[in-house]
């Protein structure tokens, strides 16, 4: 039996790519908030459902998630609507999804959360960072402070959850370049960026990796095949979360 996957943020650039990758092996539902996006979501192989992270209640999300094997949160404000909307979507929206999964009676779906590399307590520099990482980190937080703050707060909330299984994929700068099928995954540096194609491919693989439960995995451009890099990180229980 094929898996049932629900993507929150299904019209996003990663969400559409993921739908195309999964459509032949899974039943994919995509939650979107703009009805006019439905045709594009359908063309990618997913079933569109109109729901708003900002205004619809937890119960409606629970109803959609029930029966899913995996929920993928790849939504984001994308810098639209100012700091308030970034908080509403990237943090409060994520927490709403966490709450909705917890509220499901019986078996609950796994969650894959797309987050940002370097989302962390700014007072704790990861031991594997080098001087360039520190410099890039300072630049990230200077220019994207609201986004980084709420991605961190969402992941911090998730790490307290024990009612369902989850994995976090923390992507570096997302690129429009064609995918290479290669990456560095686990505890990585902050650069180089990573193609959206390769992030979507990694998420597609994670759909079938329940053994990645509890891991926060950085992903950047690299020279190792994604399959191999992901398998190594999971097998060795590598996590980039520093709290």
């Amino acid at each position: 039996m094929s898996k049932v996957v629900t993507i929150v943020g299904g019209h996003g650039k990663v969400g559409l790519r993921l739908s195309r990758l999964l459509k032949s092996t899974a039943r994919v539902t995509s939650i979107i908030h703009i009805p006019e996006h439905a045709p594009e979501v359908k063309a990618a192989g997913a079933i569109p459902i109109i729901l708003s992270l900002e205004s619809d209640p937890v119960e409606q999300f629970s109803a959609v998630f029930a029966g899913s094997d995996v929920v993928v949160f790849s939504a984001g404000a994308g810098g639209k609507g100012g700091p308030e909307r970034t908080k509403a979507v990237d943090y409060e929206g994520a927490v709403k999804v966490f709450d909705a999964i917890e509220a499901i009676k019986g078996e609950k779906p796994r969650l894959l959360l797309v987050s940002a590399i370097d989302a962390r307590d700014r007072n704790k520099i990861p031991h594997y960072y080098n001087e360039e990482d520190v410099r890039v980190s300072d630049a990230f937080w200077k220019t994207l402070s609201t986004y980084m703050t709420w991605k961190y707060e969402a992941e911090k909330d998730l790490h307290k959850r024990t009612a369902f299984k989850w994995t976090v994929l923390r992507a570096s700068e997302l690129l429009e370049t064609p995918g290479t099928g290669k990456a560095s995954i686990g505890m990585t540096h902050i650069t180089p960026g990573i193609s959206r194609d390769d992030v979507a491919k990694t998420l597609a693989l994670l759909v079938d990796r329940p053994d990645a439960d509890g891991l926060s995995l950085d992903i950047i451009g690299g020279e190792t095949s994604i399959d191999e890099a992901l398998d190594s990180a999971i097998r060795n229980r590598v996590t980039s979360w520093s709290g």
Side-chain angles (χ1 to χ4, degrees), residues 34-243:
I34 299 175
E36 289 75 17
H37 290 163
E40 193 173 357
V41 167
K42 288 180 181 178
I47 302 165
I49 292 184
I50 313 301
L51 277 179
S52 171
L53 284 171
E54 298 171 80
S55 58
D56 287 320
V58 167
E59 293 76 15
Q60 289 191 31
F61 284 87
S62 293
V64 174
F65 295 160
S68 297
D69 297 294
V70 179
V71 171
V72 181
F73 185 95
S74 64
K80 299 176 182 177
E84 296 79 9
R85 187 162 186 269
T86 297
K87 179 182 180 182
V89 176
D90 291 82
Y91 171 63
E92 293 172 348
V95 170
K96 182 178 287 187
V97 167
F98 306 163
D99 290 342
I101 295 174
E102 282 198 353
I104 294 172
K105 304 299 183 184
E107 189 171 356
K108 307 177 196 306
R110 291 167 48 226
L111 172 71
L112 302 180
L113 175 71
V114 180
S115 188
I117 204 166
D118 198 46
R120 63 179 174 89
D121 182 339
R122 291 286 285 152
N123 295 313
K124 299 178 182 178
I125 299 175
H127 66 86
Y128 51 90
Y129 276 21
N130 58 25
E131 290 183 4
E132 177 67 5
D133 292 324
V134 173
R135 185 192 68 77
V136 173
S137 174
D138 288 343
F140 271 4
W141 281 84
K142 183 176 181 180
T143 59
L144 299 169
S145 59
T146 300
Y147 171 80
M148 296 298 293
T149 295
W150 294 121
K151 284 297 187 186
Y152 169 58
E153 290 297 330
E155 192 172 349
K156 190 162 63 171
D157 181 285
L158 182 60
H159 274 264
K160 300 174 184 177
R161 309 272 178 156
T162 58
F164 58 90
K165 295 183 176 182
W166 51 262
T167 304
V168 183
L169 188 65
R170 298 154 46 93
S172 60
E173 180 186 5
L174 294 171
L175 306 176
E176 291 293 339
T177 53
T180 66
K182 298 178 180 180
S184 179
I185 300 174
M187 289 190 296
T188 72
H189 297 295
I190 297 178
T191 56
I194 183 80
S195 166
R196 286 180 170 86
D197 290 345
D198 290 331
V199 172
K201 178 176 180 177
T202 305
L203 289 169
L205 292 171
L206 281 168
V207 164
D208 293 316
R209 295 302 299 260
D211 52 343
D213 174 39
L215 299 181
S216 287
L217 301 169
D218 288 348
I219 181 168
I220 64 174
E223 296 301 322
T224 305
S225 74
I226 290 173
D227 301 68
E228 182 182 344
L230 183 62
D231 189 64
S232 177
I234 294 172
R235 184 175 62 252
N236 292 300
R237 302 298 298 169
V238 176
T239 186
S240 58
W241 179 248
S242 58

